[in-house]
Amino acid sequence: AALREHAEWEGAEFPARLRDRIALARVLGDPWAHVPLAQAAERAVGRLSEAAEDWLASLPPVEPIDLGRPTVVVVVDGVPPDVWLSAEGALSAAGPPPATAWRRLDAAPQTVPGLLALFGWPQDRDPVEEFARRGVPYESVVGNESRPLVDLLPPLSEGRSRVVRLALLDRAAHQGTARLDEMPALLATMLARHLPGLVADARKHGRALILTTDHGQGLTRKGLSHGR
């Protein structure tokens, strides 16, 4: 099945072609895959990554998020584009089709630089201190909570913004508890649980809702590491 998907996505246009890496990750994670096949999959990942750099360079840069207008920003830590694409059904299930756009985040692929770049702050700052200085609540949660986040987060005064970071996927990558090809299901489950309530609450209080990430994940035979 993974090889059939690889053949299907290998010839697609970007960004859809990025989903090929999910299929290749299945091969790399298969203990029964013989060495030449795994090596071929790793080379294919390398070729895909090189081609994706040209696509990434063609994207417009991220415009800094304005916290001066009432906005709820949900940062799902460490989600690469192929995982977003593979879990897109969970976004449409949260309500009316959202406006989506691909942007290039010019920052080192780590949480702190990524957060600073999302909001247009200098890279020598501490994002937590910047949120506090602006009076913006910043909550960092795992994302696997059984109750919807809208029921767990403190009430927010009218006209204010908040930022919520969901750490589940990045933590799974660091701890080696989930392979890349398992992450779309993790993301879809998390969004299905938490996003509808956040969307409804934002709409009720006239706040914009932005769903984004701070960096992606690189893939090798050894596993995942921070990437773009």
Side-chain angles (χ1 to χ4, degrees), residues 5-17:
E5 290 181 12
H6 166 58
E8 175 185 353
W9 293 115
E10 188 178 28
E13 298 293 329
F14 285 103
R17 184 180 167 190

Side-chain angles (χ1 to χ4, degrees), residues 60-69 71-73 75 103-107 113-123 130-131 134 161 163 208 210 212-213:
V62 166
E63 296 182 7
I65 297 172
D66 180 12
L67 294 174
R69 64 177 186 130
T71 305
V72 175
V73 183
V75 181
R103 294 290 184 268
R104 185 183 71 252
L105 187 62
D106 293 321
L115 283 174
L116 291 169
L118 281 173
F119 298 96
W121 298 332
Q123 287 290 305
E130 293 299 310
F131 291 132
R134 291 166 172 79
S161 297
V163 177
I210 296 174
T212 187
T213 191

Side-chain angles (χ1 to χ4, degrees), residues 86-125:
S86 299
E88 59 188 356
L91 296 178
S92 59
T100 60
W102 293 103
R103 294 290 184 268
R104 185 183 71 252
L105 187 62
D106 293 321
Q110 298 172 347
T111 298
V112 169
L115 283 174
L116 291 169
L118 281 173
F119 298 96
W121 298 332
Q123 287 290 305
D124 60 352
R125 304 287 177 83

Side-chain angles (χ1 to χ4, degrees), residues 88-98 191 195-197 199-200 203:
E88 59 188 356
L91 296 178
S92 59
L191 295 181
L195 198 55
V199 169
R203 186 177 294 119

